[in-house]
Amino acid sequence: MADRLISVGDGDCSNQQNGTQKKPILVDTPTSDAPSKDVDLNQPRVFKRRWIMMFLFVFYSLSNAYQWIHLNIIANVIIRYYNESLPENEFQRNTTVDWLSMIYMLAYIPLIFPATWLLDKKGLRIVAICGSFLNALGAWLKVACISPDRFAVLMTAQTICAIAQIFILGIPARLAAVWFGPNEVSTATSIGVFGNQVGVAVGFLIPPVLVPNSDTLEEIGDDLSIMFYAGAGVMTLVFILILIVFKNNPPQPPSKAQLLAVQNAANEHYGKSLAALFRNRGFFILMVTYGINTGSYYAISTLLNPIVLYYFPGHEENAGQIGLTIVLAGVLGSIVAGIWLDRTKTFKGTTVAIYLLSLFGMIAFTFTMDVGLIWVVFLCAGSLGFFMTGYLPVGFEFAAEITYPQSEGTSSGLLNASAQMDDSAT
């Protein structure tokens, strides 16, 4: 089948106005999984094993996202169990437990720059191995936290998991560019983000079931032990699979444009690349707005347990299920947005529409909490999640479009750093 080189000319992207060149993409590529001996390694080809790489990354991302929120959704239980090693002041005690989630944001901001440099220079495999190892290490350290006087150890374990996160959030756009064909990139990025969202969903759903607010601290300790051991086992399995199976890149690139982009990322000066991104007005505006949107989602996730319990006392499981509703709706929104972008390439129009609908969803969620009807909260939470978290892959792909040929890993990393700073400020 003949190869055909075309350009993405989306009027919404305003590539020429931002001083960037149109991204060439190659279509009608073959899908064989094994190149013949006489094939030029620079000849584009899409491999079936790309789906193995993607779903392995999804599993890896899921496991880390679970660890981000699985303690804060049972914050009242954590405060009760670790009370003797927490501050006596109620506000300080609550804030200290909130830091189990916020440490993810604090660690990300300074460490994203060396992480994106490592991704650009060493590739996907090294970054994935580093992240999955730290993820497993933090999970096993949590096993040693089963005592009311060991909150400091728990915070140390969560900090290690937070450091592992920097090797995850910037990968989806890069993984899609390295392994997937040009007409699959937006969908692949959506699937990559999907892992993070499902991990948050699992983190909302499972802990309230495994660790209820039992009558005695001994029972809570036993429940925490089960949760931590199970988590450590899963994280270790993920690390082993990454170490054995995960590959840096396919034997042949999926398109000539992706090949050139990856080569440029490996050879470019990292400081100059950052400077070029900050000089791009369109990207700077996107970075600020993405940070506000996504940072608001992170803040809601962190504080969901105390918010729900304030209006609906004793509804710990409902708090987790509301969080689950937000995330599952966001997963659906991500998939719909990815398919829509692959077909239309209307990045700017899609962004504006999603931001407006996210605003309306946030207003509805805020002003329906005191109605006293839990089903209304579920409904508004689902609407908010569909648009607010559904935008995550759209932002990554929009950034890649308006900053081409800069590295997808660097632009994604800056978007995530903006979101983390907004959440920390909130």
Side-chain angles (χ1 to χ4, degrees), residues 20 30 131 134 173 282 285 309 366 400 426:
T20 60
L134 290 172
I285 294 172
L309 293 184
T366 301
T426 302

Side-chain angles (χ1 to χ4, degrees), residues 316-338:
E316 287 91 349
E317 288 195 26
N318 273 332
Q321 291 167 5
I322 290 170
L324 176 66
T325 301
I326 293 174
V327 176
L328 292 183
V331 169
L332 179 60
S334 296
I335 295 173
V336 171

Side-chain angles (χ1 to χ4, degrees), residues 298-315:
Y298 290 156
I300 291 170
S301 300
T302 299
L303 301 173
L304 189 59
N305 175 270
I307 289 173
V308 172
L309 293 184
Y310 178 81
Y311 291 101
F312 302 94
H315 284 246

Side-chain angles (χ1 to χ4, degrees), residues 167-185:
F167 299 106
I168 297 174
L169 293 185
I171 287 182
R174 181 64 177 273
L175 181 64
V178 169
W179 280 91
F180 286 80
N183 289 334
E184 302 172 325
V185 171

Side-chain angles (χ1 to χ4, degrees), residues 6 11 39 43 82 108 122 153 155 211 243 267-268 275 289 292-293 317 322 325 330 339 341 352 379 383 403 416:
I6 65 175
V39 169
Q43 183 66 26
Y82 289 101
Y108 191 89
K122 300 299 180 181
V153 181
M155 180 60 76
V211 190
L243 193 62
N267 296 324
E268 70 185 358
T289 56
I292 294 172
N293 181 77
E317 288 195 26
I322 290 170
T325 301
I339 295 173
L341 286 181
V352 172
L379 182 63
S383 174
T403 62
N416 283 315

Side-chain angles (χ1 to χ4, degrees), residues 182-370:
N183 289 334
E184 302 172 325
V185 171
S186 294
T187 303
T189 303
S190 299
I191 295 173
V193 175
F194 168 87
N196 185 275
Q197 292 172 304
V198 173
V200 176
V202 174
F204 277 132
L205 181 64
I206 292 180
V209 176
L210 289 183
V211 190
N213 197 2
S214 302
D215 294 332
T216 66
L217 294 185
E218 289 76 14
E219 292 180 21
I220 294 176
D222 291 340
D223 293 337
L224 285 173
S225 181
I226 293 172
M227 184 174 73
F228 288 155
Y229 269 108
V234 171
M235 311 311 161
T236 302
L237 175 62
V238 171
F239 170 63
I240 293 172
L241 289 174
I242 291 285
L243 193 62
I244 296 174
V245 178
F246 201 83
K247 303 298 181 184
N248 202 44
N249 51 262
Q252 295 171 245
S255 80
K256 290 179 181 178
Q258 274 91 328
L259 173 64
L260 292 174
V262 174
Q263 288 175 343
N264 289 339
N267 296 324
E268 70 185 358
H269 188 281
Y270 186 66
K272 292 181 179 178
S273 177
L274 283 176
L277 290 174
F278 281 111
R279 286 196 302 268
N280 187 323
R281 187 179 68 174
F283 174 74
F284 187 80
I285 294 172
L286 175 63
M287 184 174 67
V288 173
T289 56
Y290 181 93
I292 294 172
N293 181 77
T294 309
S296 298
Y297 160 63
Y298 290 156
I300 291 170
S301 300
T302 299
L303 301 173
L304 189 59
N305 175 270
I307 289 173
V308 172
L309 293 184
Y310 178 81
Y311 291 101
F312 302 94
H315 284 246
E316 287 91 349
E317 288 195 26
N318 273 332
Q321 291 167 5
I322 290 170
L324 176 66
T325 301
I326 293 174
V327 176
L328 292 183
V331 169
L332 179 60
S334 296
I335 295 173
V336 171
I339 295 173
W340 172 260
L341 286 181
D342 276 333
R343 293 184 177 181
T344 67
K345 306 298 181 184
T346 55
F347 293 92
K348 183 178 178 180
T350 302
T351 294
V352 172
I354 290 178
Y355 279 168
L356 285 174
L357 293 168
S358 296
L359 173 62
F360 295 146
M362 189 69 196
I363 292 172
F365 181 76
T366 301
F367 290 101
T368 57
M369 291 296 296
D370 58 356

